[in-house]
Amino acid sequence: MKIDALTNPTLPAGIRARFVDGINGLRLHVLEAGHETPGRPLVLLLHGFPELAYSWRKVMLPLAAAGYHVVAPDQRGYGRTTGWDGDYDGDLASFRMLNLARDALGLVTALGHRSVAAVVGHDFGSPVAAWCALVRPDVFRSVVLMSAPFAGPPALPFDTAVKPGRPDAAAGDRIHEELAKLPRPRKHYQWYYGTRAANRDMLDCKQGLHAFLRAYYHYKSADWKENRPEPLKGWTATELARLPTYYVMDLDQDMAQTVAPYMPSDDAIAACRWLPEAELRVYSGEYARTGFQGGLQWYRCATEPRFAAELQLFDGRTIDVPSCFIAGTSDWGIHQRPGAIERMQSAACTRMLGCHLVDGAGHWVQQEQPERVSALLLAFLRDASGGKG
């Protein structure tokens, strides 16, 4: 069935939707602003889960007004982009991290750009942006990471020939046993997202898809006042259990059941300025058509050890282009991997120009506080270009 580009009254005037064909096997659906004037420097915006290119709608026009060509694709597995395998038993390897970075690079060259002023990634788009900058710094001249810190490439086992012993590959597995043995048994959401049942749990949930997404977005936003994140002391079951249940779930519940108790009231929904019902219907409409499996494939790749092997090729490599981190002060995502945000600033990124936590925002920072995020992005672009932006 032929899919048309997005047309919706909630898409701001000045942003166009179109398709770009032949991108690493994909027909990419993209949103664009600032395209009217040729030769502008490119800013590439990469969304996360469960989101869309549409998630960038509130920051695209301010960036375009400052002189940039701004492009946000529906990434592989999402929205109106086609050419990906959405079968649980299908081509999982096409969703591995370096192939996602290849998608981004292919889009850049197809658009006629030799370089990118900044690649900006939010949530799961953050590691894709990080790998773009790490692997091809000649193209991706600066990088902004949002909500998900990048701690660097996975390490290769070191000095094992002198000190024999099997690398502790099972350490990640034991955390699941430990979580399940807690007095309140728990499980980690990323591994749950890798299960065969996860897609249907959300797509066919009792409360309905639209209500599920409303509760999910609310629970991870600053609107849920119990989001008061603080660093965890380590990767232990006891510490991980301090995370909200959208990250460390009750063992006997799926994600739809997990977020259902946090459904906001009708009055709260009516008062939600950052995601009114008409805008939420864009998400629920798209996911009703595609399901969630495309995005869930990313989690499966991230949690299966075999896909870490090719990333270990970059062990010890750092991001050496100008970088910046932005998240909401109410976003637990910055602490879900203990020590990651500290390692990002001290080791993984050698030219970090700022690490900003935005008041009044939770996980969906560029939607909850778009004016502040736009200002931070523009300031970073100026600094990264030496004041030439």
Side-chain angles (χ1 to χ4, degrees):
M1 181 180 69
K2 185 178 182 294
I3 301 173
D4 294 325
L6 179 67
T7 56
N8 191 281
T10 65
L11 190 66
I15 298 177
R16 75 172 177 182
R18 67 170 174 131
F19 292 97
V20 182
D21 290 307
I23 308 300
N24 201 17
L26 300 173
R27 186 182 195 224
L28 273 179
H29 178 252
V30 303
L31 301 184
E32 256 182 314
H35 54 275
E36 302 88 350
T37 307
R40 289 179 165 215
L42 177 64
V43 174
L44 183 64
L45 306 174
L46 304 177
H47 68 81
F49 179 89
E51 296 190 88
L52 300 162
Y54 181 78
S55 299
W56 296 105
R57 66 198 177 280
K58 298 182 181 183
V59 301
M60 293 181 71
L61 292 178
L63 293 175
Y68 294 96
H69 179 198
V70 188
V71 177
D74 283 340
Q75 295 204 76
R76 180 181 294 266
Y78 291 90
R80 303 192 176 209
T81 287
T82 56
W84 48 273
D85 188 345
D87 191 326
Y88 186 88
D89 297 309
D91 182 16
L92 181 61
S94 67
F95 295 88
R96 71 194 188 279
M97 190 57 63
L98 291 185
N99 203 47
L100 299 174
R102 166 66 178 82
D103 292 344
L105 180 61
L107 176 59
V108 170
T109 60
L111 291 172
H113 290 273
R114 295 292 183 185
S115 65
V116 178
V119 56
V120 184
H122 172 252
D123 183 79
F124 224 138
S126 175
V128 180
W131 280 100
C132 286
L134 188 146
V135 175
R136 290 302 304 268
D138 57 320
V139 176
F140 300 95
R141 301 295 180 85
S142 72
V143 60
V144 180
L145 310 176
M146 289 187 183
S147 298
F150 181 70
L156 284 163
F158 184 73
D159 207 16
T160 55
V162 176
K163 301 171 183 176
R166 185 176 67 87
D168 195 8
D173 296 331
R174 284 201 299 272
I175 194 66
H176 306 299
E177 298 173 6
E178 294 168 5
L179 284 169
K181 290 177 181 177
L182 289 171
R184 177 185 173 185
R186 307 287 284 276
K187 64 188 175 190
H188 197 284
Y189 84 108
Q190 289 187 355
W191 278 264
Y192 162 74
Y193 276 161
T195 66
R196 188 178 294 272
N199 177 53
R200 284 294 162 191
D201 288 343
M202 296 182 285
L203 192 58
D204 299 334
C205 60
K206 181 179 180 180
Q207 64 265 49
L209 176 59
H210 187 83
F212 161 70
L213 287 172
R214 171 60 71 186
Y216 189 92
Y217 291 142
H218 171 78
Y219 190 14
K220 295 184 74 172
S221 76
D223 293 347
W224 189 60
K225 301 306 180 184
E226 298 304 309
N227 277 325
R228 294 190 290 266
E230 56 187 22
L232 305 184
K233 296 176 182 176
W235 186 256
T236 66
T238 302
E239 283 297 293
L240 290 178
R242 294 169 54 199
L243 291 166
T245 54
Y246 52 75
Y247 283 143
V248 177
M249 307 161 66
D250 286 325
L251 185 63
D252 63 349
Q253 293 199 326
D254 62 39
M255 187 57 81
Q257 293 167 334
T258 294
V259 303
Y262 302 95
M263 181 69 177
S265 67
D266 290 345
D267 287 345
I269 293 171
C272 183
R273 295 178 180 273
W274 67 270
L275 190 62
E277 282 289 275
E279 295 179 9
L280 180 61
R281 276 193 288 272
V282 175
Y283 293 97
S284 58
E286 293 295 273
Y287 280 101
R289 183 173 49 78
T290 66
F292 293 93
Q293 194 59 55
L296 296 176
Q297 302 292 62
W298 294 36
Y299 287 93
R300 294 177 65 199
C301 287
T303 55
E304 288 196 16
R306 64 189 172 105
F307 292 114
E310 69 176 0
L311 299 181
Q312 289 176 323
L313 178 64
F314 301 92
D315 176 26
R317 289 289 300 271
T318 53
I319 293 176
D320 300 323
V321 298
S323 60
C324 174
F325 183 76
I326 301 171
T329 55
S330 298
D331 187 359
W332 271 102
I334 64 177
H335 297 306
Q336 66 161 308
R337 286 280 178 175
I341 191 168
E342 292 83 7
R343 180 165 174 77
M344 176 186 66
Q345 296 175 81
S346 65
C349 298
T350 63
R351 296 177 64 190
M352 180 152 275
L353 304 185
C355 186
H356 307 281
L357 299 183
V358 178
D359 290 338
H363 189 65
W364 322 105
V365 59
Q366 79 273 38
Q367 296 194 73
E368 294 180 67
Q369 294 294 335
E371 294 86 2
R372 179 61 178 148
V373 169
S374 297
L376 289 170
L377 288 174
L378 289 171
F380 169 75
L381 284 161
R382 286 192 295 270
D383 292 345
S385 65
K388 299 175 184 177

